[in-house]
């Protein structure tokens, strides 16, 4: 039976793609990439550097609108799943490319669940998460011994509540919340220290080694690591 593979291509550096992901890209019949308006899909661009043969594959551009309108999201996910199911029913294996790891805030998971619910086969293939690459870029651990590690979608959650959590806080999906995060940390410098990496492993990568340095105009691919003092 044909299978849908959710492939994590890692955070940006093509050398961080796993051997399994590389193999499945080569073996799959269809390469599915989420499309939200940009001309070049980031996950595809990363994969192409590691697997140039990907350009010979049939590409399925899957519409994934950047919105929080649940009705619109459900409609797009349903349509994407139907399209992929059609490929599977014709005996074609599909490799769906996603940044980082497919189990962490990935649009792929919505397709994955729908395909499984339809009785078809789907499998997640792990990739290196962006926050692990950020930790390596900063050259320091995220958590030690009994320290808790919290992964927080910063633009979706109440920051004041999240910042009360003990341990290391990884703030993903910061977006327009970067300024609020910086103000909160700088306002209580005795409580927290923070570092940020923008576009880790990609062209234009920048590291900020203190809260004061953080650029409030940083782009979407920015992760802030906050530690208790």
């Amino acid at each position: 039976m044909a299978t849908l593979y959710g492939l994590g291509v890692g955070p940006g550096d093509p050398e961080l793609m796993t051997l399994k992901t590389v193999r499945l890209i080569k073996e799959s019949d269809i390469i599915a990439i989420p499309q939200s308006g940009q001309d070049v899909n980031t996950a595809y661009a990363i994969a192409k550097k590691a697997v140039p043969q990907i350009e010979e594959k049939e590409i399925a551009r899957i519409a994934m609108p950047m919105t929080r309108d649940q009705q619109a999201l459900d409609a797009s996910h349903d349509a994407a799943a139907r399209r992929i199911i059609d490929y599977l029913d014709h005996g074609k294996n599909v490799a769906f490319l996603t940044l980082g790891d497919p189990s962490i805030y990935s649009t792929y998971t919505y397709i994955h669940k729908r395909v499984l619910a339809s009785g078809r086969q789907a499998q997640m293939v792990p990739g290196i998460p962006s926050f692990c690459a950020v930790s390596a870029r900063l050259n320091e651990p995220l958590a030690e011994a009994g320290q808790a590690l919290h992964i927080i979608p910063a633009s979706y959650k109440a920051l004041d509540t999240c910042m009360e959590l003990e341990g290391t806080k990884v703030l993903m999906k910061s977006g327009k919340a970067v300024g609020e995060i910086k103000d909160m940390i700088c306002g209580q410098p005795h409580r927290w220290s923070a570092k940020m990496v923008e576009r880790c492993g990609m062209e234009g990568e920048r590291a900020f080694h203190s809260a004061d340095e953080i650029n409030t105009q940083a782009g979407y691919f920015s992760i802030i690591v906050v530690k208790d003092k």
Side-chain angles (χ1 to χ4, degrees):
M1 184 181 291
T3 301
L4 165 65
Y5 297 101
L7 303 182
V9 302
D13 183 346
E15 290 188 331
L16 295 181
M17 283 175 57
T18 67
L19 294 174
K20 186 169 186 177
T21 288
V22 168
R23 175 177 64 80
L24 288 172
I25 287 173
K26 292 178 179 178
E27 294 177 358
S28 293
D29 303 293
I30 306 290
I31 305 299
I33 56 176
Q35 198 76 29
S36 59
Q38 71 267 41
D39 294 330
V40 180
N41 176 270
T42 304
Y44 178 80
I46 294 166
K48 187 168 69 171
K49 292 177 181 178
V51 192
Q53 304 95 311
I54 198 172
E55 292 187 291
E56 302 168 9
K57 300 284 185 177
E58 181 178 347
I59 304 298
R61 299 183 184 277
I62 307 299
M64 293 286 183
M66 296 290 285
T67 178
R68 294 191 187 180
D69 182 318
Q70 195 57 54
Q71 187 173 0
L73 287 172
D74 287 341
S76 69
H77 297 156
D78 289 343
R82 287 194 299 269
R83 185 175 175 188
I84 287 174
I85 287 168
D86 185 59
Y87 288 127
L88 299 177
D89 287 348
H90 282 83
K92 295 184 176 181
N93 290 320
V94 180
F96 191 109
L97 306 185
T98 183
L99 285 171
D101 182 277
S103 69
I104 303 172
Y105 303 126
S106 169
T107 54
Y108 167 76
T109 57
Y110 305 107
I111 313 304
H112 180 85
K113 290 186 286 188
R114 285 166 168 79
V115 170
L116 286 178
S118 76
R120 279 74 169 182
Q121 290 195 118
Q123 179 183 333
M124 289 187 184
V125 177
I128 293 177
S130 55
F131 52 85
C132 290
V134 164
S135 175
R137 173 64 177 82
L138 295 173
N139 209 27
E140 59 183 43
L142 285 173
E144 300 176 78
Q147 258 185 331
L149 176 63
H150 307 280
I151 311 302
I152 299 163
S155 62
Y156 286 74
K157 297 293 184 181
L159 283 173
D160 52 351
T161 301
C162 294
M163 293 295 284
E164 294 301 321
L165 297 169
E166 292 186 4
T168 302
K169 291 160 276 288
V170 173
L171 304 180
M172 301 180 66
K173 296 178 174 284
S174 299
K176 296 178 181 178
V178 172
E180 181 184 352
I181 294 167
K182 178 175 180 175
D183 289 344
M184 186 178 294
I185 295 167
C186 290
Q188 301 186 60
H190 61 286
R191 293 190 63 187
W192 304 297
S193 63
K195 298 182 180 182
M196 183 176 86
V197 179
E198 180 181 11
R199 299 185 61 82
C200 188
M202 304 179 190
E203 185 178 349
E205 175 187 279
R206 291 191 297 173
F208 304 88
H209 294 277
S210 72
D212 290 331
E213 293 180 17
I214 289 175
N215 176 17
T216 58
Q217 302 302 313
Y220 177 77
F221 298 116
S222 298
I223 291 180
I224 301 173
V225 179
V226 181
K227 294 189 175 183
D228 299 329
K229 286 189 174 179

